Amino acid sequence: MEKFSFWRWLILVAFSAACISNTVQIITFAAVATDVQRFYHVGPDLADSLTSCNMMVYVVFVFPAAFFLERFGLSVGVITATTLTCLGSWIRIFGGTSDGFHALLVGQIVESIANVVFMNAPAALSAAHFPQNERNLATSIAAMSNAVGSGIGLGVSPMLISSDASSSSSPPLPPPPLPLLG
């Protein structure tokens, strides 16, 4: 029987946390599309594009992401995806004003590219770090982190809407607490 390794489970937890963070950000606007329409003065199709762009990006980038993971390895792929998630979040900050919809959409697209890597990586992660008898469990945990992120994003985002979200003076979601941007 294989000896328990703390590090491989820590890698799995770190990967799952990064995947959950990415998915929460991608799905954030699905539950608040009406508020997005009112705040940004856009139609339902544009408001829904904040979430549906993820599916379109997946179709375009699924094979390049798989190639990237194969060519550069799992570590570089996950670090790149995490960096893209962070970059997309920063771009989304510029979408916090009523005329910032395009920046918000660009941030969503960048985060969606990262999501393609996160969706392709669970099997590679378990194959690289887990013995044969633990791979199914590790793959399941890594793959379920995407669904957990969706659940969190859909459940929490409506609670973050301010009461005056329909006015143009308040963004539909509060900006992150960054004192340098205030």
Side-chain angles (χ1 to χ4, degrees):
M1 179 172 232
E2 178 103 9
K3 192 167 75 172
F4 180 81
S5 172
F6 172 76
W7 293 110
R8 68 175 168 236
W9 291 101
L10 184 63
I11 289 168
L12 179 61
V13 167
F15 172 84
S16 296
C19 184
I20 288 169
S21 171
N22 175 269
T23 308
V24 164
Q25 293 177 59
I26 286 172
I27 204 73
T28 298
F29 297 104
V32 294
T34 304
D35 295 307
V36 169
Q37 290 174 43
R38 276 189 244 131
F39 179 74
Y40 290 105
H41 310 290
V42 296
D45 290 339
L46 275 178
D48 291 340
S49 71
L50 290 172
T51 304
S52 63
C53 71
N54 183 49
M55 293 171 262
M56 291 180 251
V57 166
Y58 187 85
V59 170
V60 173
F61 284 94
V62 66
F63 293 115
F67 174 78
F68 185 83
L69 282 170
E70 185 70 29
R71 174 81 166 87
F72 296 103
L74 182 65
S75 296
V76 172
V78 172
I79 289 169
T80 301
T82 306
T83 302
L84 286 172
T85 299
C86 183
L87 177 64
S89 299
W90 279 101
I91 294 170
R92 282 176 46 166
I93 289 173
F94 296 110
T97 62
S98 62
D99 62 346
F101 182 82
H102 290 43
L104 192 64
L105 184 59
V106 169
Q108 286 288 100
I109 291 169
V110 170
E111 290 175 343
S112 295
I113 294 169
N115 187 262
V116 177
V117 175
F118 285 124
M119 296 286 284
N120 281 326
L125 177 94
S126 64
H129 296 288
F130 288 87
Q132 185 69 34
N133 64 329
E134 294 178 349
R135 285 186 189 159
N136 287 338
L137 176 63
T139 302
S140 298
I141 292 170
M144 281 304 298
S145 62
N146 194 40
V148 169
S150 292
I152 293 170
L154 289 171
V156 171
S157 61
M159 293 187 272
L160 297 176
I161 298 291
S162 64
S163 61
D164 60 347
S166 60
S167 73
S168 61
S169 63
S170 173
L173 295 175
L178 297 171
L180 297 176
L181 297 176

